[in-house]
Amino acid sequence: MEWTRVRAWAEAGLLPHLSRLLDTGVRAELRGFADTLPDTVWPTLCLGVNPGQLEKYFYIQYDPGTGRLGYAGDERLAGRPFWSDLCEAGRRVVIADVPHLPFHPVPGGLHVMGFGAHDNKGGLRTDPPELGDEVLGALGAHPVGDCERYNKTPRSLARLEGDILDGIAAQGALFRWLMDRRPWDVFFGVFSAAHCMGHHFWHRDEANGPVERAYRAIDREIGALRERAGPETRLMVFAPHGMGTLAHASWNLDEILDLLGYGERAAAAPAARRGRVNPWRRLRMVLPSRLQYWIKDRLPTSLEERLLIHWYADRFRGPSHRAFSVPNNEVVGAIRVSLAGRDAGGRVAPGAEYERVVDDIATGLSELRDPVSGRAVVRRVLRLDEHYSGPHATGLPDLAVQWETGFAWSRITSPRIGEMAIQPQDARSGSHTDRGWLVAAGPGVAGPTEVRGA
């Protein structure tokens, strides 16, 4: 849920319940891990660790021991969510629709996973187990399920927009239904609609457009939840990342690295060119989504995972090159240096040579510009070893490329690479930003206050 829109629409009176929280409580813009590894924002938040302590940072992941890519499911995350400590301390806890985690029981409480959550790959699971049938009996199934299953025709997208709005009401009804099931001390529920609406309708980020209507619907549910919880309850509303224009060159990072001198042969002289298109991604843009998922649902799991790897890296070059891209959430490109002693067949010596390579790549990427506006298309290049530590830190990318999402761009240029047209390979129009935020109010919360550096 994008903070710039929340503030603007709250000030305009369109989000009255969030506006009241902003006027009376604490607000904060949050730094998290969406600037480097966006898919880790929920696991790091719930497990309370930095990405270097996670067994998984993305669901297609590079293995430095083999030099290959493999599928990494949520079940690889072995950490302990914060609510386990609450349960052990005797607190009565309700958890609902938290994404990107394996299922965890909630002793003495309630857990509903996969009712309307984003990235729901495992279906509805509950603790206690019989709660699932009760949920479906009382509320029925969530109207969306998976927003990627909808075709991209105007008629299908109109149905998706309506179903997302209905899904907000369904999740609100679920949360209130769970609140009434038994007494509780801590309730943690996640609305998924801002994510789906942002990905598919950001190009219609306009007055009374789909994004605004979704935010207004979530605001209404927040008001209803706060009323149900009562004035003695502290309320926190937060988003670990935001949403902006989908603009990136992550799919073409290997080509860019070749032109910067990290390919198998000397780069050609700079010239205008069209960036390579992964045929698997282009096929996904052409085939109706419902047909894709009809096929997907009938494939063996191993083949489905293999196709996902092709979709993210059809020609994965790996450590045979001095530097190569690895899959990550596309809005942040990820680069690995083929380091001797760490990566299978590593080609770059540790120490001074590694430092030269990392610095040179970062400099080359920072020179990339949009030839139309002259603006930089890379906001920052971050070294992950300067930020994250832990037993799995050596499996993380070396560099994260934070693309500029504040405006639309489709070409890049620099003295070293020439000019390259970035061709569309995704039907989405919006993707994540690193603007997280939090507002909180209630007993013991002093406000109005703004917390900086959180």
Side-chain angles (χ1 to χ4, degrees):
M1 200 174 197
E2 174 55 30
W3 179 231
T4 60
R5 302 303 187 272
V6 169
R7 287 185 303 174
W9 290 335
E11 290 173 4
L14 299 174
L15 308 176
H17 301 289
L18 282 169
S19 178
R20 192 172 303 119
L21 291 172
L22 289 167
D23 289 342
T24 61
V26 170
R27 72 171 73 183
E29 292 190 43
L30 302 178
R31 285 186 300 108
F33 305 115
D35 59 350
T36 52
L37 302 166
D39 274 44
T40 68
V41 295
W42 286 103
T44 54
L45 186 149
C46 293
L47 303 179
V49 299
N50 82 80
Q53 298 183 53
L54 295 179
E55 295 85 352
K56 169 198 172 179
Y57 67 87
F58 194 62
Y59 59 93
I60 302 298
Q61 199 154 300
Y62 168 73
D63 181 354
T66 64
R68 298 176 180 176
L69 298 177
Y71 180 79
D74 290 339
E75 65 278 358
R76 286 179 60 171
L77 295 167
R80 175 184 170 93
F82 68 83
W83 56 80
S84 295
D85 296 314
L86 293 172
C87 293
E88 283 192 2
R91 301 297 186 268
R92 300 163 298 181
V93 178
V94 180
I95 306 296
D97 268 349
V98 179
H100 287 301
L101 282 179
F103 184 79
H104 290 86
V106 179
L110 302 173
H111 189 181
V112 174
M113 185 179 197
F115 172 76
H118 157 61
D119 203 41
N120 172 27
K121 294 182 171 65
L124 180 65
R125 295 188 65 184
T126 64
D127 183 35
E130 62 271 16
L131 182 63
D133 289 337
E134 296 178 30
V135 167
L136 295 177
L139 302 168
H142 189 274
V144 176
D146 185 341
C147 56
E148 301 301 330
R149 287 180 177 264
Y150 288 70
N151 292 335
K152 303 305 181 283
T153 63
R155 182 177 178 181
S156 186
L157 287 174
R159 187 171 65 253
L160 173 59
E161 180 185 344
D163 287 349
I164 290 174
L165 294 174
D166 290 343
I168 295 170
Q171 279 191 297
L174 170 69
F175 297 167
R176 290 188 294 277
W177 185 82
L178 289 170
M179 282 181 170
D180 294 339
R181 294 292 294 168
R182 64 179 67 172
W184 52 271
D185 301 303
V186 177
F187 185 100
F188 182 27
V190 181
F191 287 100
S192 60
H195 176 273
C196 287
M197 199 70 95
H199 271 318
H200 294 281
F201 295 95
W202 198 255
H203 62 291
R204 293 176 57 195
D205 177 28
E206 59 203 9
N208 201 34
V211 178
E212 182 192 303
R213 287 199 290 274
Y215 284 31
R216 290 166 65 182
I218 292 172
D219 182 77
R220 287 193 295 272
E221 297 301 330
I222 289 170
L225 290 167
R226 190 178 190 189
E227 181 179 359
R228 184 67 59 91
E232 73 284 358
T233 304
R234 288 192 293 268
L235 174 66
M236 294 196 305
V237 183
F238 69 91
H241 50 189
M243 188 66 64
T245 300
L246 178 64
H248 68 87
S250 293
W251 305 136
N252 300 98
L253 266 178
D254 281 330
E255 290 177 90
I256 295 170
L257 289 169
D258 285 348
L259 294 167
L260 292 176
Y262 294 93
E264 291 182 327
R265 59 184 66 88
R273 70 188 71 214
R274 295 168 68 87
R276 181 181 176 271
V277 173
N278 182 333
W280 293 97
R281 284 195 290 271
R282 183 56 61 86
L283 181 64
R284 187 170 178 180
M285 291 179 68
V286 173
L287 282 179
S289 297
R290 290 190 179 277
L291 176 58
Q292 293 180 43
Y293 274 83
W294 184 90
I295 296 171
K296 174 182 176 292
D297 292 341
R298 287 156 179 78
L299 292 176
T301 300
S302 58
L303 182 54
E304 179 187 342
E305 293 173 359
R306 177 53 50 189
L307 288 175
L308 267 175
I309 292 171
H310 279 299
W311 191 80
Y312 273 101
D314 181 43
R315 296 181 183 176
F316 182 63
R317 50 200 260 166
S320 62
H321 294 64
R322 289 193 298 154
F324 53 98
S325 68
V326 291
N328 193 26
N329 191 294
E330 69 274 4
V331 75
V332 179
I335 295 172
R336 182 92 177 180
V337 173
S338 178
L339 185 62
R342 182 191 68 177
D343 297 87
R347 299 183 57 194
V348 175
E353 184 182 3
Y354 172 81
E355 296 295 331
R356 282 197 302 271
V357 168
V358 168
D359 290 345
D360 182 58
I361 293 172
T363 299
L365 291 169
S366 68
E367 295 171 347
L368 297 176
R369 295 289 184 273
D370 167 33
V372 177
S373 66
R375 295 171 62 180
V377 300
V378 174
R379 289 172 62 190
R380 289 185 297 174
V381 180
L382 298 174
R383 284 185 57 160
L384 272 66
D385 63 356
E386 296 177 349
H387 296 272
Y388 308 139
S389 60
H392 303 288
T394 56
L396 298 177
D398 291 289
L399 295 172
V401 186
Q402 192 176 34
W403 303 105
E404 177 56 65
T405 60
F407 68 103
W409 47 272
S410 59
R411 304 182 74 85
I412 57 175
T413 185
S414 81
R416 292 174 67 179
I417 77 159
E419 185 169 319
M420 181 186 296
I422 305 300
Q423 301 186 70
Q425 300 188 57
D426 196 320
R428 295 172 169 181
S429 62
S431 196
H432 302 292
T433 70
D434 60 348
R435 289 185 289 269
W437 56 272
L438 174 145
V439 292
V445 180
T449 306
E450 183 166 2
V451 178
R452 300 184 181 276

